[in-house]
Amino acid sequence: MSFDWATGNVKSYTAEGKEIRSGKFELKYDQNRQEVNGTPWNLGTLETDAGSILFPFKINGGGTKPTSFQIIKLSNDQMILTYADEGTGSWSEATFWSFKKK
């Protein structure tokens, strides 16, 4: 997966380097790492076009492709995202993605 900051494009690729999907993204990130929306572990939000990220599906979602992800970790080498349906409780199901720089 690659993010082009100049154009706001995100692209996902196969292991062989063939592009499989693309879309737009917007990063809403708190660089001071302060609490976001009442959750101290949430560093910000990654907004994308549906299906833009690598393996874009919500777990047990029947093919649902989220477009707004909570950022749990963001560094030069790693990005960890979560998604839970709006209004779900603290013990509800969530989807988790962990990406590592290749």
Side-chain angles (χ1 to χ4, degrees), residues 29-72:
Y29 182 62
D30 182 359
Q31 293 186 7
N32 296 321
R33 299 181 189 264
Q34 296 178 14
E35 191 170 297
V36 177
N37 297 329
T39 53
W41 44 265
N42 182 3
L43 302 177
T45 306
L46 174 67
E47 305 281 340
T48 68
D49 290 338
S52 298
I53 69 166
L54 192 60
F55 196 80
F57 305 102
K58 170 188 161 189
I59 193 166
N60 297 323
T64 300
K65 298 175 185 173
T67 58
S68 184
F69 307 88
Q70 293 177 320
I71 302 167
I72 305 306

Side-chain angles (χ1 to χ4, degrees), residues 10-97:
V10 57
K11 295 182 180 183
S12 294
Y13 302 89
T14 65
E16 294 76 30
K18 181 183 175 192
E19 183 180 323
I20 53 176
R21 66 182 61 87
S22 65
K24 293 288 190 183
F25 80 94
E26 181 181 0
L27 187 65
K28 299 174 182 175
Y29 182 62
D30 182 359
Q31 293 186 7
N32 296 321
R33 299 181 189 264
Q34 296 178 14
E35 191 170 297
V36 177
N37 297 329
T39 53
W41 44 265
N42 182 3
L43 302 177
T45 306
L46 174 67
E47 305 281 340
T48 68
D49 290 338
S52 298
I53 69 166
L54 192 60
F55 196 80
F57 305 102
K58 170 188 161 189
I59 193 166
N60 297 323
T64 300
K65 298 175 185 173
T67 58
S68 184
F69 307 88
Q70 293 177 320
I71 302 167
I72 305 306
K73 182 175 183 178
L74 185 61
S75 70
N76 288 332
D77 299 320
Q78 189 177 27
M79 179 172 64
I80 300 175
L81 305 172
T82 63
Y83 170 81
D85 287 327
E86 187 75 28
T88 49
S90 60
W91 292 102
S92 297
E93 182 175 79
T95 306
F96 176 91
W97 293 264

